[in-house]
Amino acid sequence: MAEREPRRRAAPRPPTGGGGNGLDRLRILLAATMGAVLTGYTLLVPVAALLAGSGGASVTADGALAVAVPMWLAAHQIPIAFDGRALGLLPLLPTMIVIVMVACFSAWAVRRLGGRVRHDAGAVVASQAGAAAAVAVLAGALLPKAMAVTAPWASLVGAGMIGGTAAGIGVIHACGLPAAWKRVLAGWPGAALAGVRVAATGLLLIGALVLTGALLLAATTATDAAARLGPGAGAALGVLALAVGYLPNALVGGLSWALGPGVSVGAASSGPLVAVPAPLPSFPLVAVLPVTSVPPGAPLVLLLPAAVGVLTGLACRRALPADAPTVERVTAPVTATTVVAIGASVLATVAGGALAGGPYDPVSFQGGGVLGAVLLLVGLPALLTCAGPELARYVPMGGADGRAASRRPRSSTVRDLVDRGRTTGAGGRVAADAHDTAGDARTDGSPRPPRDGRGSRATGRTKGTGDRTSGRRGADAQDLDAQDLDARDTDARETDARETEARETEGWESEARESEARESEARDTVDPDAAARDAEGPAAERRGTGSGDADGHHTGSRGAGGRAPRDRGAAVRDSADGDARDHDTRDRDTRDRDT
């Protein structure tokens, strides 16, 4: 047991655990970079031999290896000039193969180094980009005299960008996203990323659908063009290889055609809205362009990008939480559409290019037009789908009826007042007029009609509320929030007025009852027989003054004593009548103010 323990400790660790020491890491990076370069170059040698043999030339190993050098540059989208004439229209299929291959080697390298994004990914990406740039400069120097790279700095930058992008894709696929990126993508950027995936997939499907439809509808034209370009079996095979290599370019052309900008080859142009006739090259993928006239129903193809925009908006909306603010619902589809638009524009620019200065030069897929079309046809439906219901709350729709329908609900008190004003506004005005007439009659001395202290004022307030309701219906130009605020203020003022009136009415009624009580008490206390004497009238006074001379002094004394209590009772009654008249006057003034 003592001997086995040191052996277990001395056992070597596998290289996948952490990449070993610095020499082991360097060996892994060199193996990945050189493997990617040599594998890509080796795959192009058979294709170069096929293309050289299709032209009738003898094929040798040295010749195939020499032809593969400019093809490797073309696979990295580096323009090459033949006898001073630039060829910028390069196939995209070899570029896609190079990207996939570099990504696979990069994923292998980062796994061997330990799979740590922060420690290992940067070294892998930098080594792949540097190796591609260095080999591109070396390959440009090895070209024959008839060939030359149009711009050496372009080969350095272009190859480095393609190699670095492919390595980044492989590293992310092997290690996953960094933790910091995951935290960022947890919010609206994650929803934007979901929209990017849906929009990019949808646009690629549209391009493939348009290209497939064009090839099916013009299959005879494409076959005749291929037969004229390659009459023999070897030549036909070479034409087929070129057509397959340029198939991704044709897919980008189909996307540009479906978006509206169209495709132009030399002087000819074709699109769903405009067609400019001109001669076309005898190549199967170009001969299918409808340049003589716009096909019937072609403008309907513009509905396909709009459908992609709707799907993009739905993807962004589902990726966002239910309580996401309106800003995020707007930002997510706008960001997704902008990213896809920029990518589509760059792809359309790279897919086209110069065609050696001939009659069909240049071939353009309208990169700028593709950018604007994606933003309009895809971005607008995506924005409306994702944030349309939220944005509709801030947009007034229609005229007066629309504004009334979109008005926010008011409090129940104001709504009840409006309903009462609509139904009883006229009746309230009639009742108020009748009550004012009754008040005037009371000042003339007529009996006071019974009242509950609230009826006339309620009808007056109902009339005022109905008038305010009519005024609000007529003021269509006022802001809805201002109307709601005015209604609430009016409701508060009316409530305060009702409370104040109720307190004043209580005070007045209490004062009237106290005056009546004082009058009744004065009558009962001062002269209990005052009512009987008032009924006798002046006759009783004449009898009291018409007695004999003998009794004159006694009668006069009694008559004076009887008149004094009557004078005091009359004074009390006059004071009570004055208080009642004052109360009626105040009551009438209050009704006038209410009206």
Side-chain angles (χ1 to χ4, degrees):
M1 294 296 293
E3 295 178 356
R4 293 180 183 177
E5 189 66 24
R7 291 180 182 177
R8 292 180 181 177
R9 292 180 181 178
R13 293 181 301 175
T16 57
N21 53 22
L23 185 60
D24 293 337
R25 294 174 62 87
L26 180 59
R27 186 177 65 251
I28 293 172
L29 293 176
L30 287 176
T33 54
M34 297 309 296
V37 172
L38 292 177
T39 303
Y41 180 74
T42 303
L43 291 177
L44 292 175
V45 171
V47 181
L50 176 63
L51 294 178
S54 64
S58 59
V59 180
T60 61
D62 295 340
L65 292 174
V67 173
V69 173
M71 292 185 63
W72 189 92
L73 294 174
H76 288 77
Q77 295 298 313
I78 299 173
I80 301 174
F82 297 89
D83 294 331
R85 297 180 180 181
L87 177 62
L89 183 62
L90 303 176
L92 288 178
L93 183 60
T95 306
M96 297 172 60
I97 294 175
V98 167
I99 291 175
V100 172
M101 186 176 52
V102 173
C104 292
F105 276 96
S106 301
W108 172 83
V110 77
R111 290 194 191 99
R112 294 286 295 180
L113 292 176
R116 296 166 298 181
V117 177
R118 184 171 298 179
H119 296 83
D120 305 325
V124 173
V125 173
S127 62
Q128 290 289 353
V135 173
V137 174
L138 180 61
L142 297 176
L143 290 175
K145 293 182 180 180
M147 299 181 186
V149 177
T150 57
W153 65 269
S155 62
L156 178 68
V157 175
M161 290 182 61
I162 290 179
T165 303
I169 294 174
V171 167
I172 294 299
H173 181 72
C175 301
L177 294 176
W181 293 14
K182 292 180 180 179
R183 288 192 297 269
V184 171
L185 294 177
W188 66 264
L193 183 60
V196 168
R197 289 195 294 263
V198 172
T201 304
L203 292 180
L204 290 178
L205 289 177
I206 289 176
L209 180 62
V210 172
L211 178 60
T212 304
L215 290 175
L216 292 177
L217 294 176
T220 305
T221 305
T223 304
D224 295 342
R228 289 193 301 270
L229 188 61
L237 190 59
V239 171
L240 179 61
L242 283 176
V244 173
Y246 280 99
L247 197 61
N249 301 63
L251 189 145
V252 175
L255 175 61
S256 178
W257 196 90
L259 289 172
V263 179
S264 62
V265 180
S269 179
S270 177
L273 302 177
V274 178
V276 178
L280 292 175
S282 181
F283 191 70
L285 296 178
V286 181
V288 299
L289 287 175
V291 295
T292 55
S293 62
V294 177
L300 296 178
V301 77
L302 298 176
L303 297 177
L304 296 178
V308 171
V310 172
L311 295 178
T312 303
L314 289 176
C316 294
R317 189 173 183 87
R318 291 176 180 177
L320 289 170
D323 57 347
T326 306
V327 176
E328 294 185 359
R329 295 190 181 277
V330 172
T331 307
V334 169
T335 303
T337 308
T338 304
V339 172
V340 173
I342 293 174
S345 177
V346 172
L347 193 61
T349 304
V350 173
L355 199 57
Y360 310 115
D361 183 29
V363 176
S364 176
F365 297 126
Q366 314 297 336
V370 168
L371 175 65
V374 172
L375 291 177
L376 179 63
L377 298 179
V378 179
L380 187 59
L383 176 61
L384 295 179
T385 304
C386 183
E390 287 74 17
L391 293 177
R393 301 173 184 173
Y394 304 97
V395 179
M397 305 298 292
D401 297 335
R403 285 191 294 270
S406 63
R407 191 172 299 166
R408 288 179 292 182
R410 299 192 183 101
S411 61
S412 58
T413 304
V414 177
R415 189 182 295 109
D416 295 339
L417 291 176
V418 171
D419 294 338
R420 287 199 301 269
R422 290 178 179 174
T423 56
T424 63
R429 288 192 294 271
V430 173
D433 295 338
H435 194 76
D436 292 341
T437 304
D440 296 337
R442 284 196 307 272
T443 57
D444 297 335
S446 60
R448 180 178 173 181
R451 56 189 299 271
D452 56 356
R454 291 179 296 177
S456 60
R457 281 185 291 276
T459 54
R461 286 193 300 272
T462 304
K463 173 181 175 295
T465 304
D467 294 339
R468 283 193 300 273
T469 304
S470 301
R472 283 197 299 271
R473 288 198 301 267
D476 293 333
Q478 293 181 353
D479 186 76
L480 301 181
D481 292 337
Q483 291 180 355
D484 293 340
L485 183 59
D486 294 341
R488 295 190 187 99
D489 293 341
T490 304
D491 186 18
R493 288 195 298 270
E494 289 179 352
T495 303
D496 295 340
R498 286 196 297 269
E499 293 176 356
T500 303
E501 291 170 3
R503 288 194 297 268
E504 292 178 354
T505 303
E506 263 183 58
W508 295 335
E509 292 178 354
S510 176
E511 184 180 354
R513 286 193 297 270
E514 290 177 359
S515 299
E516 292 176 359
R518 286 196 301 269
E519 180 182 355
S520 176
E521 184 180 358
R523 289 177 179 177
D524 295 339
T525 303
V526 175
D527 193 359
D529 299 333
R533 285 195 299 272
D534 291 340
E536 292 178 0
E541 295 181 357
R542 286 195 298 271
R543 283 197 304 270
T545 56
S547 52
D549 294 336
D551 299 332
H553 179 71
H554 178 71
T555 304
S557 301
R558 189 178 53 188
R563 282 195 301 272
R566 280 200 304 272
D567 292 340
R568 287 194 296 270
V572 172
R573 286 195 299 273
D574 293 340
S575 176
D577 293 339
D579 292 341
R581 284 194 296 272
D582 293 340
H583 175 70
D584 292 339
T585 303
R586 287 195 299 271
D587 193 12
R588 185 173 63 257
D589 294 340
T590 302
R591 288 197 305 275
D592 293 338
R593 285 197 302 271
D594 292 341
T595 304

